[in-house]
Amino acid sequence: MLSPRSHRIIEAFAEAVLDVPGGSLSHSVTSVRLAERVDEHLQSVSRDSRILFLIVLYSLEWLGPFYQLSGKFFSRMKLKRRRKLVDRWQRAHWSVRRMMRRYLEAIIVSNYYAVPEVAAQCGYTPKFKPPQSTPQLRADHVEFAPEGDRTEIVDVCIVGSGAGGAVAAHTLASQGYSVLILEEGSYFSHKDYGKDAITETRKMYRYGGMVHTVGYPAILTPVGRCVGGTTEINSGTCLRASDRLYDRWVREYGLANWSPDRMGKHYEEVERMLHVAPAAESHLGRNSHLFQEGAKKLGFTAEPLIRNAPNCQGSGVCAFGCPTNAKQSMALTYIPAALEAGARLYASTLVSHVDFRHGHATGVTAYFCDPQTGKRRGKLTVEAKIVILACGTFHTPVVLRRSGVPDPSRLIGRHLTLHPATKALALFPDEVRGWDEIPQGMVVHDLAAEGIVFEGIFTPPAYTATSFLLNGPAHREVMERYNHLACFGLMVSDTTSGRILRMPNGHALALYNLNKTDVRRFVRGISTLVDIFFAAGATKVFPGIHQLPVLTREQGSAPIYNTRIHAKDLELQAFHPLGTCRMGADPHESVLDPHCRLYGFDNLYVTDGSIFPTSLGVNPQLSIMAAAHKIAGYIGRECL
Ligand SMILES: Cc1cc2nc3c(=O)[nH]c(=O)nc-3n(C[C@H](O)[C@H](O)[C@H](O)COP(=O)(O)OP(=O)(O)OC[C@H]3O[C@@H](n4cnc5c(N)ncnc54)[C@H](O)[C@@H]3O)c2cc1C
Ligand code: SF4
C-alpha cells in the first residue's frame, strides 16, 4: 500500500500529463480514484518494479524543485510548473530522465484511460458477442489451486503450459505416457475476459505487464503467466518460418533433422489443430483498409494475416483474452486435448528447480502458490523419467540456473533475440474505430528481405494513451479523437543479441542494447510507416521517436532522415523473445543438442521459444508449436 504522500504525487503527475477534466473528458483524476487504481496495479507487479516506481516517483518529487528552481516539492507546485517539468523530462537529452517519466506514464496514464467511463468518452464502447462452445477441462485431471505437500511419480513432467509445453503434453499423453503439466499461473476462461485492459493485464501477464529489458532503449517485453501461457494473450497470428531459415540452420548449426521437408508435417499438424486460416475480410475494418490503401499507393502489398481464430468476431481484444473463445489458444485446444488423453495439470505451481544426478534429471521440485497472494502453501516433489522445460525464453534459462546444471558452453541465457517492435499512430479526418476489428489483421512483407515486417496493431485507450510522446492539452486533444486514430506496427528481425541473467531473488533480468544495424532498420521501417499513413490521407502521424513526437503532412517523413536517431530515442516493445538455450550440433556453440536435449544430460529437454538458434523473422507461436510437436514425437518414439 502506498502512502498518502505517494498518492498525492501520482495525482500531481497525472494532472500535469493528462489535462483532465477538459474538452469532452469530464472525469478528474480524483473522481476516478486514480491513485488507488495505480496502487492496486502495483500490487500485481514484481517487488523490483514496485521499488523502481517509488524511486522514480520520489525522484520527481525531490528533484523537481531543483530542475524548476522552485522552493516547492513537485506535488506542491502550481500545475503550470509541473507541466513544464514533465515536458522538460520528456524532451531531456539525458535519456534516463525521459525513461523515468515514461515509466510513471506507463502505469499512471494507462490506469486513467482504463476506467470504462473515461474510455467510453473517448468513443471506445466494445460489445462482445457471447462465447462459442467452451471445451470442458477434465475435472479429475486438473487442480487449479493445489495445496499441501505431495509427491508424484510420472513418465514425463512438463514445466509450463504455453505454446511449447501444451503441444508437448498432448503429443506424449496421446501416446499413452503419464504426463504431469506444472504451470505457475492461474487458469482463466472467457468468463474472466472482457473487462478493462488493465484488469486483464494484471491477471494474465507476468508482473502486471511491467517487464522491461535493461539497456538502450529499455524495451517493454510482456509475457503471459497463466494456463496456456502467452498464447492466451497473443494476437492469434500463425505464420510459418521460411524454408530459407531452416536451410540456414542445417548449414550453419548442423541441424540436419530440422530441414524444411522434415518440418512440413509438424506445421501441418498444429495448423489443423488450431484451424489456421486467413483473417476473414468481414472483420477487417478501416484501420486495416486505410493502411492497405496507403501501402498500395507506394507499391507495397498489404494482405490479410493467417490466424488461429476461425469464428473471430473482430472484437479487438485478443491481447487481453478472447471473450468469444474464437482464438484457439492452448487453454482451448491442446490443454483440454492433453487432459482428455490422460495428462494432468497443476496450476498455480511454481517449479523451483530440476533435480538431477550425474547428467540425469530425476524430477523437479515445485511449490504450490496462492493464486491471489503468491504465497507458498505446499511443496510438490515430482519423480519423472523425462523432464521437459517449456517456461518460455526468459524463464527456462533461469530455472536451469536455479537448478545448478553444468553449463560447459557458458551459453545458457545468451543469444537472446526479441523481434523488437514499434508502432506509429495517425490521425485521420474521418472516423477509423480501429478497436472495432481484428487488431492484427494485415501484414506487409515487402521489406522482409531488409529484416522489417509490418503488422497491424490496435489497442484500447489505456495503452494507446501511453504511446504519444505528448503532454497536457496536446495529449488530451489526441485522446479525444481516439476514434479517428489509425495504428500500425513493425517488427525487426534483430541482429542484436541480448542475455538473460538470474537475479539474486531468482527472477529473470534481460540485458539488451539495440545495435546500429537494427536502429537503421527501425529508421527505415518507421519512415515507411509514416509515408504509408500520409499516402492514405492522415493529417498527422505520431512516429514514436522522442525528438519527433508528431509529424504533419507538410513535413512528411523527411525529418526522420534529417535527425540523428539513436537507440535511446526509440519507443520499443517486444513480444517474441527467443534463443536463450539455443540448439545446435556443436556442444561448444549451443546449449541443446539437435533433439533439444540439454548437452550433458540424457533426459532433460526444452520445447519453448528459447531453442531457436536465430531470430525467426515471423511471429513465433506456430514454429514453437511445430518444434514442440517434433521434439515430443522424438521423445515418445526413442526415449521412453
Ligand atoms: C501481446 C503478445 C502478442 C503476441 N502475438 C503473437 C501472435 O499473434 N503470433 C505469434 O506467433 N506469437 C505472438 N506472440 C508471441 C507468442 O505468443 C509466444 O512467442 C509464445 O506463446 C511463446 O511460447 P513459449 O512456450 O515459449 O512460452 P509461453 O507461451 O510464454 O509459456 C511459458 C509458460 O511457462 C510458465 N512458467 C514460467 N516459469 C515457470 C516455472 N518456474 N514454473 C511453472 N511454470 C512456469 C509461464 O507462466 C507460462 O505460462 C505474442 C506475444 C505477446 C506478449
Ligand atoms: S478479434 Fe481477437 S479477441 Fe476478438 S473475437 Fe477475434 S480473436 Fe477473439
Side-chain angles (χ1 to χ4, degrees):
M1 290 282 281
L2 299 179
S3 66
R5 180 162 187 190
S6 305
H7 280 207
R8 242 189 358 257
I9 311 171
I10 290 169
E11 286 170 359
F13 175 83
E15 283 163 3
V17 177
L18 296 170
D19 189 42
V20 290
S24 58
L25 300 182
S26 64
H27 298 280
S28 70
V29 297
T30 44
S31 70
V32 299
R33 300 183 307 104
L34 181 61
E36 285 159 54
R37 285 172 185 272
V38 170
D39 204 340
E40 278 168 27
H41 190 167
L42 289 172
Q43 309 302 319
S44 62
V45 309
S46 69
R47 196 162 162 267
D48 317 322
S49 300
R50 231 172 5 250
I51 292 171
L52 183 62
F53 180 87
L54 286 174
I55 292 173
V56 175
L57 195 70
Y58 279 89
S59 303
L60 180 70
E61 175 77 339
W62 290 326
L63 294 180
F66 166 73
Y67 283 108
Q68 280 304 97
L69 298 176
S70 157
K72 290 184 177 163
F73 288 120
F74 176 78
S75 60
R76 302 267 179 216
M77 286 178 195
K78 291 232 164 73
L79 179 61
K80 211 166 148 197
R81 283 204 156 207
R82 272 183 274 148
R83 193 160 287 154
K84 223 166 157 185
L85 180 67
V86 289
D87 217 41
R88 273 181 73 183
W89 279 33
Q90 171 76 44
R91 291 173 208 288
H93 180 69
W94 189 45
S95 61
V96 175
R97 263 187 287 157
R98 279 196 327 226
M99 283 197 285
M100 284 163 65
R101 186 204 166 288
R102 292 289 290 155
Y103 194 72
L104 293 182
E105 191 179 8
I107 298 187
I108 298 174
V109 171
S110 58
N111 270 282
Y112 175 77
Y113 280 101
V115 176
E117 295 77 19
V118 175
Q121 288 189 337
C122 295
Y124 178 69
T125 50
K127 294 209 170 33
F128 305 124
K129 297 238 165 67
Q132 298 146 35
S133 62
T134 313
Q136 294 300 313
L137 295 188
R138 217 177 127 170
D140 55 334
H141 279 213
V142 56
E143 281 196 52
F144 296 123
E147 53 189 328
D149 293 349
R150 38 187 126 159
T151 299
E152 294 276 2
I153 301 174
V154 291
D155 290 330
V156 186
C157 176
I158 298 182
V159 188
S161 65
V167 175
H170 175 248
T171 309
L172 286 160
S174 309
Q175 293 178 25
Y177 299 112
S178 62
V179 173
L180 181 64
I181 312 164
L182 304 179
E183 168 56 52
E184 178 186 351
S186 305
Y187 173 73
F188 301 101
S189 73
H190 67 271
K191 293 184 203 127
D192 306 291
Y193 302 154
K195 317 275 182 323
D196 70 84
I198 295 288
T199 304
E200 299 301 356
T201 309
R202 282 174 47 197
K203 283 192 303 218
M204 300 168 70
Y205 281 66
R206 183 173 289 278
Y207 306 140
M210 292 302 293
V211 182
H212 288 85
T213 58
V214 172
Y216 284 111
I219 302 176
L220 186 71
T221 49
V223 288
R225 182 174 59 181
C226 51
V227 172
T230 309
T231 69
E232 300 306 311
I233 49 134
N234 75 16
S235 307
T237 296
C238 285
L239 298 175
R240 291 185 180 201
S242 68
D243 287 358
R244 210 158 18 94
L245 186 84
Y246 285 108
D247 279 333
R248 180 180 160 205
W249 291 356
V250 173
R251 259 192 340 269
E252 294 180 18
Y253 297 92
L255 294 169
N257 55 336
W258 290 78
S259 60
D261 52 322
R262 293 201 186 193
M263 289 310 295
K265 61 176 187 248
H266 302 293
Y267 275 114
E268 276 160 30
E269 176 52 30
V270 290
E271 284 166 349
R272 185 191 61 74
M273 186 83 169
L274 302 185
H275 307 283
V276 170
E281 185 60 39
S282 52
H283 291 300
L284 294 173
R286 212 152 172 257
N287 190 49
S288 301
H289 290 135
L290 279 170
F291 198 80
Q292 194 174 35
E293 267 169 53
K296 194 171 170 199
K297 285 187 186 155
L298 299 186
F300 300 128
T301 310
E303 52 195 34
L305 266 166
I306 299 174
R307 311 181 72 235
N308 60 349
N311 295 310
C312 175
Q313 305 294 329
S315 50
V317 289
C318 316
F320 308 101
C322 175
T324 70
N325 278 347
K327 189 178 73 183
Q328 303 290 284
S329 64
M330 294 300 99
L332 288 182
T333 54
Y334 276 99
I335 296 279
L339 301 189
E340 208 46 52
R344 287 178 306 128
L345 165 70
Y346 285 141
S348 304
T349 303
L350 172 74
V351 170
S352 154
H353 57 269
V354 178
D355 298 304
F356 66 94
R357 219 178 306 118
H358 309 306
H360 181 80
T362 52
V364 305
T365 299
Y367 294 94
F368 299 135
C369 301
D370 185 291
Q372 260 74 48
T373 63
K375 286 213 174 96
R376 290 181 179 182
R377 51 190 211 174
K379 180 177 174 185
L380 172 69
T381 308
V382 182
E383 292 172 25
K385 292 181 192 154
I386 299 280
V387 174
I388 297 179
L389 295 182
C391 308
T393 297
F394 289 147
H395 296 96
T396 286
V398 169
V399 172
L400 287 173
R401 288 235 173 273
R402 280 206 298 257
S403 311
V405 299
D407 180 16
S409 66
R410 303 175 69 81
L411 287 178
I412 293 177
R414 291 192 181 259
H415 295 294
L416 168 71
T417 61
L418 291 176
H419 281 168
T422 190
K423 62 185 180 224
L425 287 122
L427 257 184
F428 280 82
D430 302 326
E431 278 209 337
V432 179
R433 287 170 65 91
W435 51 270
D436 202 7
E437 61 172 293
I438 300 170
Q440 190 169 83
M442 283 273 181
V443 62
V444 174
H445 281 299
D446 295 83
L447 299 188
E450 296 178 44
I452 304 163
V453 173
F454 302 93
E455 284 181 354
I457 181 169
F458 204 91
T459 51
Y463 290 109
T464 302
T466 58
S467 311
F468 304 106
L469 306 166
L470 301 171
N471 280 324
H475 186 275
R476 177 180 44 75
E477 280 158 23
V478 180
M479 284 308 292
E480 284 179 274
R481 306 196 68 205
Y482 173 75
N483 267 350
H484 290 246
L485 285 169
C487 184
F488 222 83
L490 72 91
M491 73 179 181
V492 156
S493 290
D494 37 347
T495 56
T496 304
S497 173
R499 181 179 179 188
I500 298 292
L501 296 181
R502 176 191 159 224
M503 302 225 286
N505 60 7
H507 291 183
L509 178 74
L511 304 182
Y512 187 92
N513 279 306
L514 196 75
N515 68 24
K516 287 190 176 151
T517 305
D518 293 341
V519 172
R520 277 195 294 275
R521 289 180 177 186
F522 273 106
V523 170
R524 166 96 166 106
I526 295 171
S527 55
T528 308
L529 270 184
V530 171
D531 289 339
I532 291 177
F533 274 134
F534 283 131
T539 52
K540 282 181 186 168
V541 178
F542 307 91
I545 297 173
H546 279 275
Q547 303 93 316
L548 301 169
V550 54
L551 295 170
T552 59
R553 274 189 87 74
E554 295 67 42
Q555 290 174 300
S557 62
I560 298 179
Y561 285 110
N562 297 335
T563 307
R564 275 192 74 183
I565 294 169
H566 301 277
K568 67 185 171 66
D569 304 322
L570 297 168
E571 195 58 34
L572 305 186
Q573 307 88 42
F575 307 103
H576 306 156
L578 299 170
T580 51
C581 294
R582 70 179 188 184
M583 58 177 166
D586 182 351
H588 302 293
E589 291 294 324
S590 6
V591 175
L592 308 172
D593 74 12
H595 297 295
C596 290
R597 180 171 34 206
L598 192 74
Y599 274 116
F601 276 73
D602 62 351
N603 66 340
L604 178 53
Y605 291 82
V606 179
T607 59
D608 58 27
S610 67
I611 64 171
F612 297 121
T614 64
S615 177
L616 291 179
V618 293
N619 314 48
Q621 69 167 342
L622 201 69
S623 304
I624 295 172
M625 292 177 207
H629 188 259
K630 173 182 168 61
I631 302 160
Y634 169 81
I635 295 171
R637 270 193 325 275
E638 310 284 337
C639 313
L640 278 162

